[in-house]
Structures are given as C-alpha cells and as structure tokens.
Amino acid sequence: MSRRSGILEFAVLGLLRESPMHGYELRKRLNTSLGVFRAFSYGTLYPCLKTLVANGWLIEEPGNAPEDALAAPLAGRRAKIVYRLTAEGKEHFEQLLSQTGPDAYEDETFAARFAFFGQTSRDVRMRVLEGRRSRLEERLEKMSASLARTRERLDDYTLELQRHGMESVEREVRWLNELIESERAGRDLKGPATGEPAARDTTSGASGGLPRPGDDPRPDTPDDTAT
C-alpha cells in the first residue's frame, strides 16, 4: 500500500467513526474538512471503500433517508450506498491513531493525523507533535546549511524563495511550540475533531497539505452509486 492510499484509508475510517455516510458525503468531507485531500483524485475513493469493505472494516447499507430517495433519479434510479464502520474497523482505526512512528511526522501524514487529534489521546498527540517539531528543526538546519553554501551563487529571486521557505518552516515550528505548550498545560483546542483545527495551515512550506501546480481537483458531482 502506498503512503497516499494509507492516509486516505485512515481519513475515511476516521470520518465514518463519527457517523455513517454515503460516498458523496465522504468526498465533500475529505475535500472541505481535510486540507490534505483538497487535490486528491476522486477516482481513488471508491476503490478505497471497496478495499475497506473487503477487509471487514466497513459494511455497505442501502440508503433510506429522504434525501437518498430524492437523489435516486440523479444516480440512475439506484439508491445511494451508506458506509458504516464495523467494530473491527473501529478497532483498526484506534490502532492507527495510537501509532507515533516517523511516518506520523511527514507532511501529508501529519496533516491527516492532526485533523483527528480530537479522537487521539493526549500522550499520543504529544509524541506526534514533538516528532513533527524535531523533523522540521532538522529540515531547518539542512536548509540553513544549504543556503550558506550556495548563497553567493544564487540570484536575488532564488535567494528570496529559499528564505521564504525557511520562514514558512519557522512559522510552523512556532505554531507547534504553542500547541505543545497547551498540551503540557492540559488545555484542549476547541472545535470539532475534523473541523477548525484541520483548517489551519499545518504544512506551511511543505507540499503535503496544499494544492500544488498541476493538481486537478475536479468539482463534486452528484453521482454516488457504488462502482
């Protein structure tokens, strides 16, 4: 499994832990609530859901809400499928939440992990935050050393771009310091687990959670039947 696929599965399980949803709702939540997926390919969502069902972590149920009946004509008169987390899926997601290895500090992974900090224990949050800070401090050190070696060979615009990159990482380090201080003081951030905190730029200066040139985020469509 690729890292990107693993992050998508993690996010889907986390969203469905909150409540069952059909695919269209999941697509909107991934796109609007979790910044790391603002440019993800919608063609990867349904294969991901099928994999999670095959693993026994999700079950498919026919939608029976009034809005499902209204949407049926747009979906070829087929009812929307609702995805529900199983007990095994919940247990698997909780195992994923407890992981604090190096992958949790990477740009894309950290953004997704942070979005579900409201469902994560305080000790795990601390380890992930401190690990992320250490990773960025190492990055800053390398960037600074590289800039010192190449400064004389860079034109003004390239030099300014590198400075901007360093300043972005420095801002995230300061933000992490504030979060770590709050965690140590026993203060929780307010807001839903996958809402307000995730909307902050947790990947400044990194490509993980931001759209990149060439990304092609397609607009939502009402087609929500299983394929």
Side-chain angles (χ1 to χ4, degrees):
M1 179 192 303
S2 68
R3 175 179 295 171
R4 186 72 168 174
S5 297
I7 299 170
L8 179 58
E9 290 187 5
F10 171 82
V12 168
L13 291 172
L15 290 174
L16 290 177
R17 189 187 185 190
E18 299 175 4
S19 65
M21 300 183 202
H22 51 68
Y24 181 56
E25 289 175 309
L26 276 170
R27 289 194 320 203
K28 289 198 298 184
R29 291 292 302 278
L30 288 166
N31 186 267
T32 60
S33 298
L34 305 183
V36 68
F37 293 106
R38 280 181 289 185
F40 89 113
S41 170
Y42 292 125
T44 64
L45 176 57
Y46 287 108
C48 171
L49 290 170
K50 291 298 184 183
T51 297
L52 295 176
V53 170
N55 288 339
W57 298 330
L58 301 181
I59 57 174
E60 296 177 334
E61 299 176 339
N64 54 11
E67 58 268 25
D68 290 331
L70 292 174
L74 296 176
R77 299 185 181 279
R78 296 168 58 190
K80 290 183 178 182
I81 293 175
V82 173
Y83 296 91
R84 183 184 300 274
L85 197 66
T86 64
E88 293 80 5
K90 181 179 180 181
E91 181 179 356
H92 178 64
F93 179 68
E94 290 173 351
Q95 291 175 350
L96 295 176
L97 277 181
S98 68
Q99 295 178 2
T100 58
D103 281 350
Y105 318 148
E106 299 297 335
D107 296 333
E108 291 184 348
T109 311
F110 175 75
R113 287 297 302 270
F114 187 80
F116 293 98
F117 263 21
Q119 303 182 41
T120 306
S121 63
R122 189 183 302 277
D123 63 320
V124 171
R125 294 198 301 263
M126 281 292 294
R127 289 198 292 271
V128 173
L129 290 172
E130 290 174 342
R132 174 65 175 175
R133 181 176 62 181
S134 296
R135 179 63 52 84
L136 292 182
E137 287 173 342
E138 293 173 2
R139 186 180 300 174
L140 272 176
E141 185 177 348
K142 292 178 180 178
M143 294 171 72
S144 179
S146 175
L147 184 60
R149 290 194 305 268
T150 61
R151 181 186 300 271
E152 299 302 324
R153 300 195 300 270
L154 299 178
D155 62 68
D156 291 342
Y157 293 101
T158 303
L159 182 62
E160 189 61 28
L161 183 62
Q162 292 205 12
R163 286 174 175 165
H164 173 69
M166 290 183 62
E167 290 172 359
S168 297
V169 178
E170 288 169 348
R171 282 196 300 272
E172 185 174 348
V173 170
R174 290 194 296 270
W175 174 68
L176 289 167
N177 287 335
E178 294 173 0
L179 288 174
I180 291 170
E181 181 181 351
S182 293
E183 292 288 347
R184 286 176 176 164
R187 298 191 298 269
D188 287 316
L189 293 179
K190 301 300 181 182
T194 55
E196 295 170 12
R200 298 185 64 172
D201 179 5
T202 63
T203 53
S204 297
S207 60
L210 301 175
R212 287 167 288 188
D215 282 337
D216 181 25
R218 289 173 287 174
D220 288 337
T221 63
D223 182 13
D224 184 51
T225 57
T227 56

